[in-house]
Amino acid sequence: MAMTNHQQLSRILVAGCGKLGGDMALALAKNNAQVFGLRRSPENVPAGITGIGADLTKPETLEGKLPEDLDIVIYCLTPSSYDEQGYQDAYVTGLTNLLNAMGDQPLTRLFFVSSTSVYAQDDDSWVDETSTTEPSRYTGKHILRGEQAALSSIHPATVIRFSGIYGPTRQRFLEEVLEGRMNPQPPAPYSNRIHERDAVRAVTHMIELALSGKKLEDVYIVTDCEPVRLDEVVEWVQQQVPCKAPVEDARKGGRAGSKRCSNQRLLASGFEFRYPDFRAGYREMINSLS
């Protein structure tokens, strides 16, 4: 992946180099790319990544900061506040400011990190990249506006819609089950998830395709191979490890409707999962508890 057409290290900017973006940056640097990580606190960029200090909601902080001759930009912001302004800033304003600051320098590919929350389906139906996106909440609406800004920019762009990310550094759901704070009633809504390591691997896979001149689609759903009802996940965890009895105010369901996300387009691109279903990921996490 390190080689581009001019036989130099590929130059990659991760805009929003927080937890997920930082993991992506490290994985890319291990593949011998030259990686720049942009965040408000550049001292928190992982070791080995060139930090850039800027606030994407304040265009003046970007002046003179962006590296030239970039091959890839990954836009991976999370809201600084979880209200409407926070989502507008993170997904729309920040991207617009970055694109303006980059001017007309050509990119091989712009990757916009999105979410399956752009789908409002709540009827257990399957959704894929061609399904209707009519989010009912402001969160999904602003993310969708960011997608549209990326895809309508002057750069070739790919939107990556992640389902719920879980893993060793994202244990909240597992902890809630262990503590008896999850008690969904069957049949609970369908849930969709992606292990954090596979989330990062999917992005590096797509970047490899882009840098080697392969065709990429404009949207990919990145989720594992088994949508599953929430009560089935909870019951499986309870069978693997001692859990506390459900508390009185335990959560009864999910927060994201009920849909089944298809990863067929991702699989067709040649991606192979290390954690193809929730059992593979949670079993490893449970084993590490002992």
Side-chain angles (χ1 to χ4, degrees):
M1 186 182 70
M3 295 299 179
T4 58
N5 291 336
H6 44 292
Q7 299 298 302
Q8 295 174 345
L9 289 181
S10 52
R11 291 165 60 83
I12 300 175
L13 172 66
V14 180
C17 198
K19 177 68 191 78
L20 182 60
D23 288 346
M24 292 175 186
L26 284 172
L28 292 162
K30 286 177 183 173
N31 280 345
N32 293 325
Q34 185 173 2
V35 185
F36 304 87
L38 187 153
R39 60 181 297 169
R40 281 189 295 254
S41 306
E43 64 274 10
N44 293 330
V45 166
I49 309 301
T50 303
I52 298 172
D55 182 341
L56 286 167
T57 66
K58 298 174 181 173
E60 66 276 8
T61 68
L62 287 164
E63 291 176 12
K65 293 285 187 69
L66 296 181
E68 296 182 350
D69 299 323
L70 289 169
D71 298 296
I72 300 287
V73 169
I74 307 169
Y75 188 86
C76 187
L77 250 65
T78 51
S80 56
S81 60
Y82 290 93
D83 54 10
E84 187 152 7
Q85 187 64 51
Y87 275 81
Q88 161 79 24
D89 286 348
Y91 290 100
V92 185
T93 307
L95 177 63
T96 302
N97 290 339
L98 178 63
L99 292 170
N100 288 340
M102 285 168 52
D104 58 0
Q105 75 155 295
L107 289 178
T108 301
R109 203 95 189 161
L110 166 67
F111 290 91
F112 180 87
V113 174
S114 177
S115 161
T116 54
S117 66
V118 298
Y119 300 107
Q121 285 83 339
D122 195 22
D123 56 358
D124 298 349
S125 59
W126 282 95
V127 298
D128 64 17
E129 291 82 357
T130 66
S131 299
T132 302
T133 50
E134 293 178 344
S136 55
R137 299 173 62 212
Y138 68 79
T139 53
K141 289 179 180 178
H142 285 303
I143 295 171
L144 191 61
R145 286 178 59 206
E147 288 189 4
Q148 292 160 348
L151 293 171
S152 63
S153 75
I154 64 170
H155 307 287
T158 290
V159 166
I160 299 171
R161 292 176 180 159
F162 284 123
S163 61
I165 301 176
Y166 77 104
T169 70
R170 294 173 172 85
Q171 301 224 23
R172 183 178 169 192
F173 173 81
L174 182 59
E175 289 168 355
E176 288 188 334
V177 178
L178 293 172
E179 293 298 318
R181 295 195 299 268
M182 282 291 299
N183 190 27
Q185 301 304 298
Y190 273 98
S191 59
N192 304 267
R193 61 189 52 73
I194 179 75
H195 193 285
E196 58 190 4
R197 290 176 187 146
D198 276 339
V200 170
R201 291 177 62 248
V203 174
T204 58
H205 165 74
M206 291 183 205
I207 290 173
E208 287 178 14
L209 293 178
L211 290 174
S212 60
K214 302 287 197 323
K215 181 181 183 295
L216 278 178
E217 303 287 348
D218 57 356
V219 181
Y220 288 89
I221 292 175
V222 176
T223 189
D224 73 17
C225 302
E226 189 179 344
V228 60
R229 293 193 184 277
L230 203 57
D231 59 295
E232 294 178 32
V233 185
V234 172
E235 183 181 10
W236 182 87
V237 173
Q238 291 169 338
Q239 292 169 353
Q240 310 305 309
V241 64
C243 299
K244 293 182 180 176
V247 297
E248 190 173 334
D249 59 347
R251 260 198 326 139
K252 298 296 184 190
R255 303 188 179 100
S258 185
K259 57 186 178 283
R260 289 180 277 180
C261 296
S262 167
N263 65 8
Q264 290 304 303
R265 181 177 285 185
L266 176 63
L267 289 173
S269 76
F271 182 71
E272 297 181 0
F273 283 86
R274 286 187 187 163
Y275 303 91
D277 58 41
F278 73 93
R279 296 174 202 84
Y282 282 122
R283 184 176 290 115
E284 186 176 273
M285 291 163 66
I286 289 168
N287 289 344
S288 71
L289 296 174
S290 54

